[in-house]
Structures are given as structure tokens and as C-alpha cells.
Amino acid sequence: MPDTSLPVTPAQPVRFRGGGFTVRTHRWAALLAFAVLIAVWESTNRFGLVSPLFLPPPSAVAKALGAMVADGSLWQHLKASLMRIGVGWAMGTVCGMAVGFAMGIGSVARAVGVPLVSAFFPIPKIALLPLFILWFGIGEPSKFATIGFGVFFPTVIATYSAIDSVPRNLIRMAQSFGLPWASILRKIVLPGALPGILAGFRITASIALILVVAAEMIGAEYGIGAFVLTAGNLMLTDQLLAGVLVLSLLGLAIGTVLSILERRLLKWR
Amino acid sequence: MRLIIKDLCHRYDDLVVLEGIDLTVREGEVLAVIGPSGCGKSTLLGIAGGIVAPTSGTIETAGAVPDGCLNPVTFIFQDFALLPWRSVEDNLALVLEHHPLPAAERRERIEAGLRRMGLWDFRKALPKQLSGGMRQRVGIARALAVRPAMLLLDEPLSALDAQTRELLMEDFLALWQRERTTALYVTHNLDEALRLADRVVVLSRRPGRLREIVTIEEPRDQRLQPSAQAHLAEVRDRLWHLIRAEAQLADREIANA
């Protein structure tokens, strides 16, 4: 029986309150933002609001970039930078993963490694370049060492944190079925740690890009960093920004390669 | 296979978890272990399966193992413990890969396990593509692939909904009807224990001590019959009476901690 003592209110539709707080994709928003930014930038120069010496228009930057492509200097500089990034990053990554793995699975290695990594990690690696030049000379080895050293510590941290995040129940399961130690490492720990390791690659690739530019600015004939520094010294700001644009595209390309790698290797997520 | 536990004690630093456990799991029986939260049920299972080292006491197995047994004492886990990056059939392959089996036998074991659990059509699926019940069936198929002599089941149905639990209990009953594999079954669910076990061990609150062992006389395949209900209700009351006060005290201890 309904309670007749309660006041009766007329029927009302239930108000929807669940909107917002959801991320929607706006495919064209980013492109539009870029287009607006470039248009504003170009027009500030066209209307004489900013001197092209201090901020050359996008059209001048594109022209400078076109000239670099035409005379082959872009490839020359890019090749030198890519080689340094490749070798330095590979050195730092291989060593960092080896140490990170040791720290991830060995308690003694961790007890020794964590304080050392914590002490060395915050050092700005470029500050060590003069020392590396002293040890390895002004040529390529000192640049490889700077990049490798910069990549090494974040890789160590990413690797051993990734190993820590491998669910222990999977390891216990493998042990309960009698899998040998090496199989557990290869079949459980390594694939389980892969997402964390790949996330670390994204960070170390950016670090390598920053360090290669810095190292090339200190002592190199070729390389995007050297090119940007020379252009700055000669007040060729259109070329300077063309170099910066190349660096930005390089970062984007590395990020894309890593995304493809993640999609391929982590299909199961 | 029998499992003999003698004078077992276990502690984590200063915390005594299990104390003075003497217990034998008889050949071919299903022994359920119940008790309040934190009484050391899962620790007992881990020790029985050799993945937790006991502080003191001995654990021994004795008796025959089936032909082709690759892992006499085999776990079925509460959270399934499936490798998310491996397909269903590769999860089964994982536990066979380190044994020197001919490829044909390996394939045959995988296929037999998957067909028995009704998963053959899902052999290429990843665990994330399966329901909770199907994931646990993969866990059971994986355990069967090594032809175990004894199963250690750690609350295998507790992560599942009621309907799936019922279906999997039927699977377990069919398995024990056919294979007579010895089993140590940890659960906090009295109904599961009453439906599946031959005997039920009641542990006290922490430190877990053996309070009582209750035998269920009804054959497993007749426990849903109306004639069995009166006796099962009696056993249920007795078990509940044994753990009720302990569970309340354990709850208070956990809240105070």
C-alpha cells in the first residue's frame, strides 16, 4: 500500500548528470592549432611587428630548410647526429639494461646499485663532457660516452622498476611448475618487464637527443647541434630555426618508431 | 599420492602464522581447509607445494604418481596466474616446454587439456579476451597438462561470480569422479567445502592451529539430493559454529591492527 501521508509530486524526467570528464578525440584540432600558430607567426613578420633577424617567418625557415636539402648539408649533419645518437644510445641502453636486470633480480646488486645510481643520476651529464674529452679526446668517443652515460642511468632505473612490477604470482606459478631459473627470466620476467623497459626507451631517446645537440655544440664540425650553433654565431636565424625544426622532426620520428615497436611487442595489452 | 605434514610452524618475522600443524591428505581424497581471514590457509598451501619455506616442521609426499606425471604437486591459483602475453595454448605449453617431451606428445597434452575444459576453440585467444570462468578453466587445463598426482587449489573460485562458480564446481566434481586426484582445497566458502570435500579441516585464527577435522559422509555425487540436505545442513552448522567466533575475533584483530 502506498503511504498516503507523504506529499505527492508530479512525475518529472530524470535529469542527465553524467556528462563531462571523458576524453574525446578531436582529429583536426591539433592541425588547426598548428595552422593558426604558423599563420600568426608569419603575419607578425609580414606586418613588421617582429624583426625577421630575431624571429624569421616560417616561410624563411622553410626556404632555409629547402636550401639545406638541396645542397646536401642537411643529410651530412643529420647523418653525423644520428650516428652519435645510435651508438651512444645503444651503449647506454645495453649496459643500463644489464645493470638494471642484475639489480632487478639480485638483492646484492640492488643493495650496491641503488645508492650508486641515486648518487650519479642527478648529475647533469653534459657537465662531464670536458672530462670525457680529456679521457677520450675531442672526437667521437667523448660524444658517445656523454650520450651513453646520460642514457645509462634512466635505463637502469626503468629496467629494475619494470622487473619489480612483474607480478610475483606469475613467478610463483612458474616455480610451482618447476620452470628452471633461466626460463623464468626469459619467459616471465623479460616479457613482463617489457612495457616498463619500452617506456624507459621513450625517455632515454629524448635524453640522447638533448645530449647529442649539447655535445655537438661543444666540439663538432658536423651534426645538427653544430649546425645550429654556427648559424646562431653568424646570426643566420632562419637556418638556426631550420636546424631546430629538424631536431623537432627527429624527436617526432624517434617517438613514432618507438610507438610502432610498442604496438608490435605489446599487442597483448 | 599422500601428503604428510608434521609439526609445521611458520612465522613472518615476529608474526606466527601457523603453529603445530599435523595433517595427512590421504590418497585420492579432497581435503578442504577453511578458517578465518589471515589464519594461514594460503601459507599452508604454499608450504605444501614447496613455494614457501616453512620455519619448522616437515612436509612429505608418498604414494604412486600417474603415468606421464611431470609435476606431481600442482597448483591451481585464485587469480589464475596466466601469462597475459601468451595465447591460451601457449600458456599450457609454458609448463611443458622445459620437459624433454616429443613434440607430438606435447601437442596431444595441450589438446587433451583444452578439449576437456571446452577451450579448444579458444586456443588462440589471449587471456584478456576470456571471461573469468574461462581463465580459470585455462588454469585447470594447464594443471591437467602435467598429469598431477596432487592438486593444490588456492581459493580457485573466489574471484568468480556465483553462476560461474557453480559451473566450475561441476567441472571439479567431474574431474575428481574421473581421475581421483588427491586435492588440498583452500577456501573461505563453506558451501564449496561441503560440495567438494571428503573432509574439512578447520583452522583457528592466527596463529593457525588445527581446530577440528570434519568428515562429510555423503558421496560427492549425491550431495545435491534432497535426502542429503539434512545431514549437510548439520555439518554446515557445525563448521559455522567452529569458525564463527574465530572469524569475529580475527576481524577485530585485523581492525585493531
Side-chain angles (χ1 to χ4, degrees):
Chain A
M1 286 288 286
D3 186 351
T4 50
S5 65
L6 292 172
V8 177
T9 52
Q12 288 175 5
V14 174
R15 190 169 58 87
F16 175 65
R17 295 174 291 178
F21 299 100
T22 47
V23 179
R24 283 178 293 169
T25 48
H26 299 281
R27 192 175 289 179
W28 302 108
L31 281 176
L32 187 69
F34 267 111
V36 169
L37 181 71
I38 289 169
V40 170
W41 179 5
E42 183 75 35
S43 51
T44 53
N45 276 271
R46 292 279 162 100
F47 295 123
L49 298 173
V50 179
S51 160
L53 181 67
F54 292 107
L55 186 65
S59 54
V61 175
K63 211 169 146 189
L65 191 62
M68 282 174 76
V69 173
D71 68 12
S73 60
L74 174 68
W75 176 237
Q76 202 172 25
H77 291 297
L78 200 56
K79 198 170 69 176
S81 294
L82 281 174
M83 189 265 293
R84 288 172 190 137
I85 290 175
V87 174
W89 184 84
M91 277 167 44
T93 298
V94 169
C95 298
M97 280 182 66
V99 173
F101 248 92
M103 284 168 62
I105 57 176
S107 47
V108 175
R110 177 171 299 208
V112 173
V114 169
L116 287 176
V117 170
S118 305
F120 281 101
F121 180 55
I123 297 172
K125 306 303 175 292
I126 198 67
L128 295 173
L129 183 60
L131 189 65
F132 288 143
I133 291 174
L134 205 64
W135 289 352
F136 304 116
I138 192 77
E140 298 303 320
S142 58
K143 294 173 187 64
F144 297 154
T146 307
I147 297 165
F149 202 63
V151 165
F152 174 79
F153 291 102
T155 306
V156 171
I157 293 168
T159 305
Y160 89 73
S161 306
I163 289 171
D164 274 355
S165 70
V166 175
R168 285 304 179 259
N169 65 328
L170 297 182
I171 294 172
R172 294 283 169 267
M173 177 277 294
Q175 289 174 323
S176 79
F177 278 97
L179 264 78
W181 188 83
S183 289
I184 293 176
L185 267 194
R186 192 161 49 84
K187 294 173 183 174
I188 314 261
V189 176
L190 184 58
L194 203 55
I197 294 172
L198 288 179
F201 282 5
R202 217 169 256 286
I203 296 166
T204 56
S206 311
I207 291 172
L209 194 60
I210 293 165
L211 287 175
V212 78
V213 172
E216 286 170 351
M217 281 180 168
I218 289 176
E221 191 179 350
Y222 294 109
I224 300 294
F227 172 78
V228 166
L229 185 73
T230 309
N233 288 341
L234 299 173
M235 303 287 275
L236 301 170
T237 47
D238 53 345
Q239 290 191 17
L240 187 152
L241 283 182
V244 171
L245 182 64
V246 169
L247 286 172
S248 167
L249 293 174
L250 189 58
L252 209 61
I254 291 171
T256 307
V257 168
L258 287 171
S259 294
I260 292 168
L261 202 64
E262 278 179 347
R263 271 203 298 277
R264 288 257 168 99
L265 296 173
L266 306 178
K267 259 189 255 176
W268 51 272
R269 289 220 295 183
Chain B
M1 175 180 267
R2 297 190 305 282
L3 181 80
I4 305 122
I5 299 169
K6 283 183 192 157
D7 199 21
L8 176 73
C9 293
H10 190 69
R11 58 171 68 223
Y12 294 110
D13 298 323
D14 291 335
L15 189 73
V16 182
V17 181
L18 290 166
E19 200 167 61
I21 304 283
D22 285 295
L23 184 67
T24 299
V25 187
R26 299 171 191 153
E27 185 123 25
E29 83 164 337
V30 178
L31 183 73
V33 180
I34 61 170
S37 300
C39 73
K41 299 186 291 284
S42 294
T43 303
L44 176 66
L45 207 67
I47 292 170
I51 57 172
V52 176
T55 307
S56 65
T58 59
I59 324 289
E60 290 170 349
T61 55
V65 295
D67 283 345
C69 173
L70 299 174
N71 192 50
V73 180
T74 296
F75 278 87
I76 293 177
F77 296 90
Q78 178 184 3
D79 55 11
F80 326 127
L82 301 177
L83 303 188
W85 52 87
R86 282 190 174 224
S87 67
V88 165
E89 63 181 352
D90 287 345
N91 263 285
L92 266 69
L94 175 83
V95 299
L96 303 174
E97 283 164 358
H98 60 290
H99 294 287
L101 292 175
E105 187 184 341
R106 193 172 296 164
R107 275 198 306 274
E108 187 272 319
R109 281 177 184 248
I110 293 169
E111 184 173 345
L114 291 177
R115 285 198 187 279
R116 190 180 297 176
M117 299 314 297
L119 289 165
W120 181 246
D121 291 340
F122 297 92
R123 62 190 180 279
K124 300 286 180 200
L126 288 170
K128 71 171 181 184
Q129 296 168 307
L130 305 178
S131 68
M134 289 167 90
R135 286 182 211 177
Q136 190 54 292
R137 284 201 176 93
V138 179
I140 299 168
R142 178 179 61 192
L144 297 181
V146 294
R147 295 187 191 149
M150 172 173 289
L151 285 173
L152 302 178
L153 302 103
D154 187 6
E155 303 197 26
L157 308 182
S158 66
L160 305 173
D161 63 79
Q163 288 168 16
T164 311
R165 226 168 20 226
E166 196 63 35
L167 291 170
L168 274 170
M169 271 199 270
E170 286 174 11
D171 287 341
F172 282 134
L173 287 169
L175 172 73
W176 284 316
Q177 191 77 15
R178 198 173 44 233
E179 316 249 338
R180 303 288 304 156
T181 311
T182 310
L184 185 56
Y185 191 108
V186 163
T187 180
H188 61 263
N189 186 317
L190 287 184
D191 295 320
E192 252 174 69
L194 284 170
R195 181 87 179 275
L196 300 174
D198 297 303
R199 293 189 299 154
V200 182
V201 171
V202 182
L203 291 185
S204 68
R205 72 179 193 283
R206 197 175 53 224
R209 295 190 192 92
L210 215 95
R211 275 207 67 181
E212 198 161 326
I213 301 179
V214 176
T215 303
I216 305 174
E217 303 293 351
E218 267 71 24
R220 272 197 294 267
D221 57 352
Q222 287 170 30
R223 289 184 193 168
L224 290 180
Q225 303 295 324
S227 56
Q229 298 313 305
H231 176 66
L232 288 178
E234 214 173 275
V235 177
R236 192 183 197 289
D237 282 350
R238 192 165 152 214
L239 290 172
W240 180 232
H241 172 75
L242 284 167
I243 62 170
R244 188 173 187 277
E246 298 278 345
Q248 280 176 331
L249 285 168
D251 261 1
R252 259 177 237 151
E253 278 176 7
I254 290 167
N256 290 337

